[in-house]
Amino acid sequence: MFDTKSSFILSKLGIQRFQSQINNPSSEILFGALWGDILTLLDKSFNELKENELKLLIKIIKSIVEDESEYPFAKEINNLNEIKREPKLVISFTNVKTNLTKEFSTLIESKPLSVLENSQDYKRKLWLEIKEYKNGPSTG
């Protein structure tokens, strides 16, 4: 981190330091991973996921893709501008209520993976929403 003197000098040059998402909730910084044409939004960096959270996430993605090959992981994203084309499906694994429904046509909101892995009720709700998506998303 920068000390006070460095922060002052940088501010005089018009350079702002990075701020964490916790301290700046209106920030556009986000944590997510792009899996082919599926975007997953996470409550922490993809690299900070525990092994059991990662396994659950991969299981969820594979249930949607239905491809027996390796899961189609493309890249971790930290900003929506990194996405070149609109994903077919966005799954938000955060507790943050977002306005992403305006930006993305198909959005499934779920609890964070750490909560989801220990709750059959939340898992059931998510699976039902995924099943509804796979059976034919609404065209309106």
Side-chain angles (χ1 to χ4, degrees):
M1 275 297 171
F2 295 112
D3 61 13
T4 306
K5 186 176 178 181
S6 297
S7 296
F8 176 75
I9 292 169
L10 289 172
S11 70
K12 290 298 177 188
L13 294 171
I15 300 171
Q16 295 184 357
R17 299 184 293 142
F18 290 108
Q19 297 177 357
S20 73
Q21 187 175 14
I22 296 167
N23 295 336
N24 190 3
S26 63
S27 172
E28 291 190 25
I29 295 173
L30 57 90
F31 300 111
L34 197 56
W35 309 78
D37 54 4
I38 299 171
L39 172 64
T40 54
L41 302 177
L42 308 168
D43 61 341
K44 56 188 162 194
S45 171
F46 182 78
N47 294 324
E48 293 175 11
L49 291 176
K50 296 177 185 168
E51 184 178 347
N52 50 351
E53 293 171 337
L54 181 60
K55 284 181 181 179
L56 177 60
L57 181 59
I58 291 170
K59 192 177 197 179
I60 292 167
I61 297 302
K62 282 186 173 185
S63 75
I64 298 168
V65 175
E66 294 181 349
D67 186 1
E68 294 300 319
S69 64
E70 192 67 23
Y71 55 93
F73 179 75
K75 68 176 187 170
E76 181 176 11
I77 62 159
N78 296 307
N79 188 312
L80 293 178
N81 294 332
E82 294 178 39
I83 302 172
K84 303 295 184 223
R85 58 189 164 118
E86 183 177 334
K88 290 182 182 176
L89 175 64
V90 178
I91 305 176
S92 176
F93 294 102
T94 67
N95 278 327
V96 179
K97 292 296 177 194
T98 62
N99 291 330
L100 290 175
T101 51
K102 294 177 183 175
E103 294 196 34
F104 300 111
S105 57
T106 308
L107 173 69
I108 296 176
E109 292 183 307
S110 177
K111 295 290 181 185
L113 292 167
S114 58
V115 174
L116 195 63
E117 70 178 332
N118 297 316
S119 171
Q120 291 300 320
D121 289 337
Y122 290 134
K123 281 183 191 174
R124 191 175 304 112
K125 182 180 182 295
L126 175 61
W127 295 125
L128 287 173
E129 290 187 50
I130 289 172
K131 184 178 177 183
E132 183 179 317
Y133 165 78
K134 288 172 59 173
N135 287 339
S138 63
T139 57

